[in-house]
Amino acid sequence: MLVRDAMSTVVLTIGPAHTLRQAAALMSARRVGAAVVLDPDGTGIGILTERDVLNSLGLGQDPDTERAHAHTTTDVVFAAPSWTLEEAAAAMTHGGFRHLIVLDRGGPAGVVSVRDIIRCWAPERQRAQHVPA
């Protein structure tokens, strides 16, 4: 199975000037764990995750004044839609993260998460266990 089969194609994008509260509200409303941060004048494409917001709050920072750009991961590993789920899982395991931005033709085409991969793998594993020998 490929990344294109598992990824979410509805991508939440925000700008670097969004506050963490705004980002968290949008992520919560869309029920996603990450937002793609588009900064055409700066770092390009980055990602802000629920963990980034949580870390900021844990440090006592104010979510109404902290901006996404200060918490965005810009050293991003991107996936291609043609990657296998095994390749995506290996990249996540190696990098220690739970989301990959999927690029197609230079722009974000989706996001694939550990949860997306598990959703695809779980039925396959169940079918494999119930195949008569």
Side-chain angles (χ1 to χ4, degrees):
M1 191 167 270
L2 301 178
V3 165
R4 75 169 48 89
D5 302 318
M7 71 183 192
S8 172
T9 57
V10 178
V11 179
L12 172 61
T13 58
I14 63 171
H18 276 79
T19 66
L20 290 188
R21 183 175 307 278
Q22 290 170 323
L26 291 167
M27 289 164 55
S28 178
R30 297 266 183 100
R31 298 183 59 139
V32 297
V36 175
V37 181
L38 299 179
D39 187 2
D41 299 328
T43 57
I45 299 173
I47 191 166
L48 179 76
T49 68
E50 57 200 355
R51 184 178 296 166
D52 298 323
V53 175
L54 184 64
N55 286 341
S56 175
L57 292 174
L59 291 171
Q61 296 174 334
D62 183 352
D64 292 313
T65 59
E66 287 297 311
R67 302 293 173 179
H69 70 83
H71 302 277
T72 298
T73 300
T74 56
D75 184 20
V76 179
V77 175
F78 297 103
S82 59
W83 279 18
T84 65
L85 294 185
E86 288 79 7
E87 289 173 306
M92 290 177 186
T93 301
H94 183 263
F97 44 81
R98 297 177 293 169
H99 299 87
L100 284 170
I101 299 172
V102 182
L103 287 186
D104 193 20
R105 297 183 186 114
V111 174
V112 65
S113 69
V114 170
R115 180 180 294 163
D116 296 327
I117 293 171
I118 291 170
R119 279 190 196 132
C120 290
W121 280 350
E124 287 181 6
R125 302 291 190 254
Q126 285 180 337
R127 282 192 297 274
Q129 290 174 358
H130 297 313
V131 174

